């Protein structure tokens, strides 16, 4: 029979949790590990909107959409590439590529962050992409992508 670990036992093994309501209303439930890997369940709020644009230098980021829809915007050397993900789709973010995500109301996404020799923090802000994303009409893109 498996033994349930207490929070203290999990912490001693390098696992911790962090749950937050983000500024845009999204709920994030995180399970983090001492090696820098993590799991995040993100639940969209009614008006979540775009997240903050960023890139990763070492952390691999795999997102799987459980329900709803999600837009992903990538800045590919000045060219904007958009992808629409629906339930069951996934997105593996390339390293060193500025990107942003928009979760439509009701969307639930699972993100796994993984890699080797991960730094304590690997979230590099890319504010140049934010106004470009926020100028897009997600509902129109939902119809055309």
């Amino acid at each position: 029979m498996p033994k349930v670990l207490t929070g203290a036992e999990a912490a001693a093994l390098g696992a911790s949790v962090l749950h937050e309501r983000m500024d845009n209303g999204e709920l994030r439930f995180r399970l983090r590990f001492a090696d820098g890997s993590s799991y995040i369940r993100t639940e969209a709020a009614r008006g979540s909107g775009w997240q903050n644009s960023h890139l990763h230098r070492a952390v691999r980021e795999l997102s799987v959409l459980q329900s709803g829809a999600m837009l992903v915007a990538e800045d590919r050397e000045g060219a904007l590439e958009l992808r629409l993900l629906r339930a069951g789709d996934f997105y593996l973010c390339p390293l060193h590529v500025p990107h942003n995500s928009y979760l439509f109301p009701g969307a639930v996404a699972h993100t796994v962050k993984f890699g080797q020799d991960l730094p304590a923090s690997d979230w590099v802000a890319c504010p140049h992409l934010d106004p470009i994303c926020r100028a897009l009409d997600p509902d129109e893109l939902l119809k055309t992508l």
Side-chain angles (χ1 to χ4, degrees), residues 46-138:
R46 180 165 295 169
S48 293
W50 287 95
Q51 297 176 355
N52 293 315
S53 301
H54 62 282
L55 63 80
H56 304 284
R57 293 186 178 123
V59 171
R60 304 304 307 233
E61 185 176 71
L62 173 68
S63 295
V64 179
L65 202 61
Q66 176 177 318
S67 61
M70 177 173 124
L71 282 172
V72 175
E74 293 180 346
D75 177 358
R76 294 291 191 143
E77 299 178 5
L80 187 67
E81 288 189 19
L82 297 170
R83 298 175 193 204
L84 176 65
L85 282 70
R86 296 186 186 275
D89 291 341
F90 63 90
Y91 168 72
L92 179 60
C93 180
L95 295 176
H96 307 285
V97 174
H99 60 281
N100 200 339
S101 300
Y102 179 96
L103 287 173
F104 286 88
V108 175
H110 301 275
T111 303
V112 177
K113 295 187 177 192
F114 62 98
Q116 299 297 318
D117 301 317
L118 299 177
S121 177
D122 189 39
W123 192 95
V124 180
C126 298
H128 72 279
L129 186 55
D130 288 334
I132 296 167
C133 291
R134 292 187 176 115
L136 299 171
D137 183 338

Side-chain angles (χ1 to χ4, degrees), residues 3 9 19 23 28 32 34-35 37-39 47 59-60 69 77 81 108 118 124 133 140-141 145:
K3 177 193 180 293
E9 289 171 322
H19 309 311
D23 290 341
R28 299 219 184 140
R32 304 181 310 175
D35 66 1
S37 64
S38 65
Y39 161 79
V59 171
R60 304 304 307 233
E77 299 178 5
E81 288 189 19
V108 175
L118 299 177
V124 180
C133 291
E140 284 302 312
L141 291 170
L145 291 177

